[in-house]
Amino acid sequence: MNRLLCAPAARLACGLFLALALMGQPAPAAADNDANAFNTYTGKPLPASRTPQGDEAEILKALGGRPRSIAADTAYRKHSRQELYPCLYGTPGAGHEVLVLLDFASPASRPLWEAVRGAVAKVPASAARVVLFGRSNEAYAMDLTGLAIWAARERPGQAVDYVTWALRRWDEVKAGQRRLGAERVFRDEYDAVVTPKDYPMVFTGMSRFRPAVPEKDQSEVARYVYDAGNVNLFQSTEVCSYYGVEKMPALVVDGKVYTKMTAAELVSLLK
């Protein structure tokens, strides 16, 4: 449904990934405890995994150009700062930083997300911020990430519960497909259903918010979440490169990378 609505947005994906491919040589990974590097609210330049070097840099300088940046490329978007650094819980200035690098298609994402969910129930929003970065080989995950970004802004306090539901619904659909002998990669919303009569996950998610997204606004929201998820997907790649994360899911807590975590362990880190 929203794939047909969002054909222009596909060009955004091409532009963002082309920018990444043309930005020069990989930068070294960050040291531990290097937090806030991707916080778009600090006013500092965002790290870029590829920057022009050597002859390339000299040519760019001679032409009066400057390196491409995700911040510049998305500056026209009204909510670009939030799309690049979406706080699902807490505020950009909260004491501790928890970056959640989530892959909807990975079973390992479930216990890691449950740890985050359990921790935020015990940690005040003033003490920690939970920031979502989504990436997956199954492209429909991008839309689900985009809806989380939208919810963080338009339905305050509901984004964490939405992600919990989205992960569970993903698994339910996969299980239903397996029972029918028709499991598929979720490339788009038509893949992410058990039967053709099922309502797509993003649109089902819209109906679960309080208040629900009115039917007249759903197409517009669907277009937005595709683009927002696309921007966040690009930045997820940058975050992984910067912190040396080779495989998602992972948590980056105050600059330190963790691939496994319990709620109790996370709470102790956030005190």
Side-chain angles (χ1 to χ4, degrees):
M1 193 174 298
N2 60 322
R3 275 292 180 278
L4 296 178
L5 293 169
C6 299
R11 291 193 289 271
L12 177 62
C14 295
L16 295 180
F17 283 104
L18 180 60
L20 178 61
L22 294 178
M23 285 170 61
Q25 301 302 314
D32 281 349
N33 303 318
D34 187 7
N36 261 324
F38 289 88
N39 190 338
T40 53
Y41 297 85
T42 65
K44 298 178 181 178
L46 298 175
S49 62
R50 304 185 68 84
T51 56
Q53 296 179 7
D55 290 344
E56 184 181 3
E58 290 299 320
I59 292 171
L60 187 63
K61 181 179 179 181
L63 292 173
R66 60 182 181 180
R68 298 286 298 274
S69 74
I70 186 65
D73 286 352
T74 61
Y76 72 95
R77 296 182 58 77
K78 183 177 180 181
H79 303 291
S80 64
R81 287 201 303 179
Q82 185 190 37
E83 293 160 7
L84 293 168
Y85 192 79
C87 292
L88 304 194
Y89 180 81
T91 66
H96 293 281
E97 179 185 67
V98 181
L99 308 183
V100 184
L101 311 181
L102 199 64
D103 179 354
F104 273 84
S106 171
S109 290
R110 280 63 179 159
L112 207 59
W113 176 255
E114 286 299 327
V116 173
R117 178 170 173 255
V120 299
K122 299 179 180 180
V123 175
S126 60
R129 70 201 101 117
V130 173
V131 186
L132 179 64
F133 292 98
R135 193 178 73 181
S136 177
N137 289 330
E138 302 198 34
Y140 193 54
M142 183 172 64
D143 299 60
L144 300 176
T145 298
L147 189 54
I149 295 168
W150 178 91
R153 183 180 68 251
E154 299 294 338
R155 299 293 186 270
Q158 299 184 43
V160 170
D161 286 342
Y162 157 74
V163 173
T164 302
W165 169 82
L167 286 166
R168 292 174 180 172
R169 180 58 183 162
W170 181 289
D171 290 345
E172 289 171 359
V173 174
K174 288 283 188 182
Q177 290 180 348
R178 283 194 295 272
R179 285 194 297 270
L180 297 176
E183 186 174 356
R184 299 182 292 276
V185 173
F186 289 178
R187 292 178 295 269
D188 56 41
E189 63 191 16
Y190 302 109
D191 291 319
V193 292
V194 179
T195 74
K197 294 183 179 180
D198 292 342
Y199 216 44
M201 289 173 64
V202 162
F203 289 87
T204 301
M206 291 183 200
S207 70
R208 293 178 57 85
F209 294 121
R210 294 294 176 265
V213 179
E215 186 174 350
K216 65 181 179 63
D217 297 332
Q218 289 183 359
S219 293
E220 181 180 352
V221 173
R223 281 191 290 267
Y224 171 79
V225 303
Y226 178 81
D227 282 351
N230 198 332
V231 171
N232 188 260
L233 168 65
F234 180 98
Q235 196 66 337
S236 298
T237 301
E238 294 289 81
V239 171
C240 286
S241 175
Y242 187 77
Y243 288 107
V245 176
E246 296 182 357
K247 185 178 181 180
M248 297 169 74
L251 299 182
V252 183
V253 183
D254 294 332
K256 188 174 178 61
V257 177
Y258 299 86
T259 56
K260 294 182 179 180
M261 182 74 67
T262 67
E265 290 169 340
L266 184 54
V267 168
S268 69
L269 291 175
L270 301 179
K271 286 183 177 179

